[in-house]
Amino acid sequence: MSYSIYQLLWLFLIYAFMGWCVEVAYCGLGEGRFVNRGFLNGPVCPIYGIGAVAVILCLTPINNVILLFLCSMLITSLLELITGFALEKIYHTRWWDYSDLPFNIGGYICLKYSIYWGFVCIALMRGIHPIVLGFIKIIPPVLGWILLIILLSVFITDIIVTVVTLNKLNKRIHLMNELAEKIRSVSDDVGEHIYDGVTAAVKKGEKIRDSEKIRELAAETAEFKEKYEKNAAEFKEKREKEISELKERYTKLLEEKNLLQKRIITAFPKLKSKLYSEQFEKLKLKYLKNKK
């Protein structure tokens, strides 16, 4: 059976919405509360829409249930693998991780969920899809196109908003990491400065013990000590002020409220940053503590 662009677009949106409903129900049972588990802000999971359309286009001619099951496992697992890999490469984040489950590939896919997808696709092809297709056919074409354009416009806007949100989240984590590195660097400078002063003082002391001009060197050492203590105090005060300002900026970034970033992090509690894991975990912990 061939499908028109009109039908494929409707199928994509409907199954993306149904997939979102499945994710919300599954997570709701596990956590006892509503969680918007979509990658986007709206009630759609694009990967379900793409996966359903791919299965429908590729497997419609297949009548053998076992072959349908195996092919469904292959298509959906391949899609999940590509999606997970692409998201990690683009945003340097791991969105889901099956590494703790047996028979997984890179943590992107695992046998357990591949089997689930196989059964879901059988239900889709043998029971759900004929009903959905019948529903699409009874929609008046003009009304159908109007609704389709509106829904797709909202969908595209949602994609843009989500991409902007993710870019801002990455920038935020990057800035937090830079500030943390600067705080450590300034703290190290203070320690090194003190160490250099102490080392120089020790060398002066050694020189006093070995020299015949003890009085002159003692006066020189006392003068050096006075200057060092003055400079050290000024240096320490300056560095402490700098550290305080850096910590203030860091805390402000960490405590900054962003509902869209919070939604993404709470929707994917296993989300991991590949570049700035320490700072991302601090931000994630903050949001997950206040997720209720």
Side-chain angles (χ1 to χ4, degrees), residues 69 72-74 76-78 80 103 109-119:
F69 176 79
S72 297
M73 283 181 58
L74 177 62
T76 53
S77 297
L78 185 60
E80 189 174 24
F103 306 106
I109 59 175
C110 70
L111 181 60
K112 174 184 175 180
Y113 286 103
S114 295
I115 292 174
Y116 285 172
W117 300 138
F119 285 118

PDB file of all heavy atoms in Angstrom, residues 69 72-74 76-78 80 103 109-119:
ATOM      1  N   PHE A  69       8.047  -9.400  13.757  1.00  0.00           N
ATOM      2  CA  PHE A  69       8.640  -9.124  15.071  1.00  0.00           C
ATOM      3  C   PHE A  69      10.133  -8.844  14.949  1.00  0.00           C
ATOM      4  O   PHE A  69      10.643  -7.852  15.500  1.00  0.00           O
ATOM      5  CB  PHE A  69       8.395 -10.326  15.988  1.00  0.00           C
ATOM      6  CG  PHE A  69       9.042 -10.218  17.335  1.00  0.00           C
ATOM      7  CD1 PHE A  69       8.466  -9.454  18.339  1.00  0.00           C
ATOM      8  CD2 PHE A  69      10.232 -10.889  17.595  1.00  0.00           C
ATOM      9  CE1 PHE A  69       9.064  -9.362  19.588  1.00  0.00           C
ATOM     10  CE2 PHE A  69      10.829 -10.794  18.845  1.00  0.00           C
ATOM     11  CZ  PHE A  69      10.252 -10.032  19.840  1.00  0.00           C
ATOM     12  N   SER A  72      10.851  -5.605  13.046  1.00  0.00           N
ATOM     13  CA  SER A  72      10.485  -4.461  13.884  1.00  0.00           C
ATOM     14  C   SER A  72      11.572  -4.181  14.915  1.00  0.00           C
ATOM     15  O   SER A  72      11.940  -3.020  15.161  1.00  0.00           O
ATOM     16  CB  SER A  72       9.161  -4.727  14.596  1.00  0.00           C
ATOM     17  OG  SER A  72       8.107  -4.872  13.683  1.00  0.00           O
ATOM     18  N   MET A  73      12.087  -5.249  15.522  1.00  0.00           N
ATOM     19  CA  MET A  73      13.187  -5.105  16.477  1.00  0.00           C
ATOM     20  C   MET A  73      14.375  -4.421  15.814  1.00  0.00           C
ATOM     21  O   MET A  73      14.995  -3.519  16.397  1.00  0.00           O
ATOM     22  CB  MET A  73      13.617  -6.469  17.011  1.00  0.00           C
ATOM     23  CG  MET A  73      12.714  -7.064  18.063  1.00  0.00           C
ATOM     24  SD  MET A  73      13.355  -8.680  18.657  1.00  0.00           S
ATOM     25  CE  MET A  73      14.973  -8.234  19.257  1.00  0.00           C
ATOM     26  N   LEU A  74      14.690  -4.850  14.613  1.00  0.00           N
ATOM     27  CA  LEU A  74      15.847  -4.318  13.899  1.00  0.00           C
ATOM     28  C   LEU A  74      15.668  -2.836  13.574  1.00  0.00           C
ATOM     29  O   LEU A  74      16.560  -2.012  13.841  1.00  0.00           O
ATOM     30  CB  LEU A  74      16.065  -5.116  12.609  1.00  0.00           C
ATOM     31  CG  LEU A  74      17.214  -4.641  11.711  1.00  0.00           C
ATOM     32  CD1 LEU A  74      18.546  -4.768  12.448  1.00  0.00           C
ATOM     33  CD2 LEU A  74      17.239  -5.438  10.414  1.00  0.00           C
ATOM     34  N   THR A  76      13.496  -0.499  14.819  1.00  0.00           N
ATOM     35  CA  THR A  76      13.373   0.392  15.976  1.00  0.00           C
ATOM     36  C   THR A  76      14.681   0.503  16.759  1.00  0.00           C
ATOM     37  O   THR A  76      15.034   1.591  17.234  1.00  0.00           O
ATOM     38  CB  THR A  76      12.252  -0.100  16.912  1.00  0.00           C
ATOM     39  OG1 THR A  76      12.476  -1.478  17.245  1.00  0.00           O
ATOM     40  CG2 THR A  76      10.892   0.030  16.242  1.00  0.00           C
ATOM     41  N   SER A  77      15.400  -0.602  16.879  1.00  0.00           N
ATOM     42  CA  SER A  77      16.679  -0.564  17.598  1.00  0.00           C
ATOM     43  C   SER A  77      17.701   0.278  16.837  1.00  0.00           C
ATOM     44  O   SER A  77      18.468   1.042  17.445  1.00  0.00           O
ATOM     45  CB  SER A  77      17.223  -1.983  17.799  1.00  0.00           C
ATOM     46  OG  SER A  77      16.343  -2.745  18.596  1.00  0.00           O
ATOM     47  N   LEU A  78      17.716   0.130  15.522  1.00  0.00           N
ATOM     48  CA  LEU A  78      18.633   0.916  14.697  1.00  0.00           C
ATOM     49  C   LEU A  78      18.311   2.405  14.815  1.00  0.00           C
ATOM     50  O   LEU A  78      19.224   3.243  14.929  1.00  0.00           O
ATOM     51  CB  LEU A  78      18.530   0.476  13.238  1.00  0.00           C
ATOM     52  CG  LEU A  78      19.517   1.121  12.259  1.00  0.00           C
ATOM     53  CD1 LEU A  78      20.955   0.814  12.666  1.00  0.00           C
ATOM     54  CD2 LEU A  78      19.254   0.619  10.837  1.00  0.00           C
ATOM     55  N   GLU A  80      16.824   3.891  17.387  1.00  0.00           N
ATOM     56  CA  GLU A  80      17.198   4.327  18.731  1.00  0.00           C
ATOM     57  C   GLU A  80      18.710   4.498  18.846  1.00  0.00           C
ATOM     58  O   GLU A  80      19.196   5.449  19.481  1.00  0.00           O
ATOM     59  CB  GLU A  80      16.709   3.310  19.762  1.00  0.00           C
ATOM     60  CG  GLU A  80      16.850   3.783  21.195  1.00  0.00           C
ATOM     61  CD  GLU A  80      16.226   2.825  22.194  1.00  0.00           C
ATOM     62  OE1 GLU A  80      16.094   1.628  21.875  1.00  0.00           O
ATOM     63  OE2 GLU A  80      15.884   3.274  23.303  1.00  0.00           O
ATOM     64  N   PHE A 103      23.279  -7.380  27.364  1.00  0.00           N
ATOM     65  CA  PHE A 103      23.147  -7.397  25.906  1.00  0.00           C
ATOM     66  C   PHE A 103      22.822  -6.000  25.353  1.00  0.00           C
ATOM     67  O   PHE A 103      21.893  -5.826  24.562  1.00  0.00           O
ATOM     68  CB  PHE A 103      22.064  -8.390  25.461  1.00  0.00           C
ATOM     69  CG  PHE A 103      22.256  -9.777  25.993  1.00  0.00           C
ATOM     70  CD1 PHE A 103      21.451 -10.264  27.018  1.00  0.00           C
ATOM     71  CD2 PHE A 103      23.269 -10.586  25.500  1.00  0.00           C
ATOM     72  CE1 PHE A 103      21.636 -11.530  27.523  1.00  0.00           C
ATOM     73  CE2 PHE A 103      23.465 -11.871  25.989  1.00  0.00           C
ATOM     74  CZ  PHE A 103      22.643 -12.343  27.009  1.00  0.00           C
ATOM     75  N   ILE A 109      21.260   0.956  23.047  1.00  0.00           N
ATOM     76  CA  ILE A 109      20.159   0.006  22.880  1.00  0.00           C
ATOM     77  C   ILE A 109      20.474  -1.245  23.694  1.00  0.00           C
ATOM     78  O   ILE A 109      21.643  -1.501  24.042  1.00  0.00           O
ATOM     79  CB  ILE A 109      19.935  -0.390  21.403  1.00  0.00           C
ATOM     80  CG1 ILE A 109      21.204  -1.036  20.815  1.00  0.00           C
ATOM     81  CG2 ILE A 109      19.506   0.807  20.578  1.00  0.00           C
ATOM     82  CD1 ILE A 109      21.024  -1.562  19.412  1.00  0.00           C
ATOM     83  N   CYS A 110      19.449  -2.006  24.009  1.00  0.00           N
ATOM     84  CA  CYS A 110      19.653  -3.274  24.712  1.00  0.00           C
ATOM     85  C   CYS A 110      18.566  -4.256  24.289  1.00  0.00           C
ATOM     86  O   CYS A 110      17.513  -3.857  23.764  1.00  0.00           O
ATOM     87  CB  CYS A 110      19.645  -3.065  26.228  1.00  0.00           C
ATOM     88  SG  CYS A 110      18.037  -2.641  26.907  1.00  0.00           S
ATOM     89  N   LEU A 111      18.822  -5.525  24.513  1.00  0.00           N
ATOM     90  CA  LEU A 111      17.913  -6.576  24.064  1.00  0.00           C
ATOM     91  C   LEU A 111      16.532  -6.444  24.700  1.00  0.00           C
ATOM     92  O   LEU A 111      15.509  -6.649  24.032  1.00  0.00           O
ATOM     93  CB  LEU A 111      18.511  -7.947  24.396  1.00  0.00           C
ATOM     94  CG  LEU A 111      17.692  -9.166  23.957  1.00  0.00           C
ATOM     95  CD1 LEU A 111      17.513  -9.163  22.445  1.00  0.00           C
ATOM     96  CD2 LEU A 111      18.363 -10.451  24.435  1.00  0.00           C
ATOM     97  N   LYS A 112      16.490  -6.083  25.978  1.00  0.00           N
ATOM     98  CA  LYS A 112      15.217  -5.983  26.693  1.00  0.00           C
ATOM     99  C   LYS A 112      14.249  -5.045  25.976  1.00  0.00           C
ATOM    100  O   LYS A 112      13.105  -5.416  25.675  1.00  0.00           O
ATOM    101  CB  LYS A 112      15.463  -5.486  28.116  1.00  0.00           C
ATOM    102  CG  LYS A 112      14.194  -5.205  28.907  1.00  0.00           C
ATOM    103  CD  LYS A 112      14.534  -4.631  30.280  1.00  0.00           C
ATOM    104  CE  LYS A 112      13.276  -4.217  31.040  1.00  0.00           C
ATOM    105  NZ  LYS A 112      13.605  -3.647  32.384  1.00  0.00           N
ATOM    106  N   TYR A 113      14.700  -3.831  25.689  1.00  0.00           N
ATOM    107  CA  TYR A 113      13.809  -2.855  25.056  1.00  0.00           C
ATOM    108  C   TYR A 113      13.600  -3.144  23.573  1.00  0.00           C
ATOM    109  O   TYR A 113      12.554  -2.800  23.011  1.00  0.00           O
ATOM    110  CB  TYR A 113      14.346  -1.442  25.279  1.00  0.00           C
ATOM    111  CG  TYR A 113      14.142  -0.968  26.697  1.00  0.00           C
ATOM    112  CD1 TYR A 113      15.207  -0.948  27.600  1.00  0.00           C
ATOM    113  CD2 TYR A 113      12.887  -0.592  27.150  1.00  0.00           C
ATOM    114  CE1 TYR A 113      15.022  -0.548  28.918  1.00  0.00           C
ATOM    115  CE2 TYR A 113      12.688  -0.183  28.463  1.00  0.00           C
ATOM    116  CZ  TYR A 113      13.759  -0.161  29.340  1.00  0.00           C
ATOM    117  OH  TYR A 113      13.563   0.227  30.647  1.00  0.00           O
ATOM    118  N   SER A 114      14.564  -3.763  22.944  1.00  0.00           N
ATOM    119  CA  SER A 114      14.373  -4.160  21.545  1.00  0.00           C
ATOM    120  C   SER A 114      13.227  -5.160  21.421  1.00  0.00           C
ATOM    121  O   SER A 114      12.425  -5.104  20.485  1.00  0.00           O
ATOM    122  CB  SER A 114      15.668  -4.761  20.982  1.00  0.00           C
ATOM    123  OG  SER A 114      16.691  -3.793  20.928  1.00  0.00           O
ATOM    124  N   ILE A 115      13.147  -6.088  22.385  1.00  0.00           N
ATOM    125  CA  ILE A 115      12.044  -7.057  22.420  1.00  0.00           C
ATOM    126  C   ILE A 115      10.717  -6.338  22.648  1.00  0.00           C
ATOM    127  O   ILE A 115       9.700  -6.641  22.003  1.00  0.00           O
ATOM    128  CB  ILE A 115      12.291  -8.124  23.499  1.00  0.00           C
ATOM    129  CG1 ILE A 115      13.485  -9.004  23.109  1.00  0.00           C
ATOM    130  CG2 ILE A 115      11.045  -8.977  23.713  1.00  0.00           C
ATOM    131  CD1 ILE A 115      13.906  -9.986  24.177  1.00  0.00           C
ATOM    132  N   TYR A 116      10.735  -5.360  23.555  1.00  0.00           N
ATOM    133  CA  TYR A 116       9.525  -4.567  23.798  1.00  0.00           C
ATOM    134  C   TYR A 116       9.047  -3.918  22.501  1.00  0.00           C
ATOM    135  O   TYR A 116       7.858  -3.967  22.169  1.00  0.00           O
ATOM    136  CB  TYR A 116       9.801  -3.468  24.825  1.00  0.00           C
ATOM    137  CG  TYR A 116       9.902  -3.943  26.250  1.00  0.00           C
ATOM    138  CD1 TYR A 116      10.304  -3.079  27.269  1.00  0.00           C
ATOM    139  CD2 TYR A 116       9.599  -5.250  26.605  1.00  0.00           C
ATOM    140  CE1 TYR A 116      10.403  -3.498  28.588  1.00  0.00           C
ATOM    141  CE2 TYR A 116       9.697  -5.685  27.920  1.00  0.00           C
ATOM    142  CZ  TYR A 116      10.105  -4.803  28.904  1.00  0.00           C
ATOM    143  OH  TYR A 116      10.200  -5.228  30.207  1.00  0.00           O
ATOM    144  N   TRP A 117       9.992  -3.293  21.779  1.00  0.00           N
ATOM    145  CA  TRP A 117       9.621  -2.605  20.527  1.00  0.00           C
ATOM    146  C   TRP A 117       9.047  -3.603  19.519  1.00  0.00           C
ATOM    147  O   TRP A 117       8.149  -3.260  18.751  1.00  0.00           O
ATOM    148  CB  TRP A 117      10.827  -1.882  19.932  1.00  0.00           C
ATOM    149  CG  TRP A 117      11.451  -0.835  20.802  1.00  0.00           C
ATOM    150  CD1 TRP A 117      12.782  -0.613  20.977  1.00  0.00           C
ATOM    151  CD2 TRP A 117      10.774   0.132  21.624  1.00  0.00           C
ATOM    152  NE1 TRP A 117      12.990   0.418  21.859  1.00  0.00           N
ATOM    153  CE2 TRP A 117      11.772   0.898  22.267  1.00  0.00           C
ATOM    154  CE3 TRP A 117       9.431   0.405  21.884  1.00  0.00           C
ATOM    155  CZ2 TRP A 117      11.459   1.928  23.142  1.00  0.00           C
ATOM    156  CZ3 TRP A 117       9.126   1.439  22.768  1.00  0.00           C
ATOM    157  CH2 TRP A 117      10.128   2.186  23.380  1.00  0.00           C
ATOM    158  N   GLY A 118       9.578  -4.813  19.511  1.00  0.00           N
ATOM    159  CA  GLY A 118       9.060  -5.823  18.587  1.00  0.00           C
ATOM    160  C   GLY A 118       7.592  -6.130  18.852  1.00  0.00           C
ATOM    161  O   GLY A 118       6.772  -6.168  17.917  1.00  0.00           O
ATOM    162  N   PHE A 119       7.228  -6.310  20.112  1.00  0.00           N
ATOM    163  CA  PHE A 119       5.830  -6.573  20.466  1.00  0.00           C
ATOM    164  C   PHE A 119       4.945  -5.354  20.211  1.00  0.00           C
ATOM    165  O   PHE A 119       3.800  -5.489  19.754  1.00  0.00           O
ATOM    166  CB  PHE A 119       5.732  -7.005  21.937  1.00  0.00           C
ATOM    167  CG  PHE A 119       6.190  -8.405  22.193  1.00  0.00           C
ATOM    168  CD1 PHE A 119       7.261  -8.667  23.029  1.00  0.00           C
ATOM    169  CD2 PHE A 119       5.540  -9.479  21.584  1.00  0.00           C
ATOM    170  CE1 PHE A 119       7.686  -9.971  23.257  1.00  0.00           C
ATOM    171  CE2 PHE A 119       5.954 -10.793  21.827  1.00  0.00           C
ATOM    172  CZ  PHE A 119       7.024 -11.041  22.654  1.00  0.00           C
TER     173      PHE A 119
END
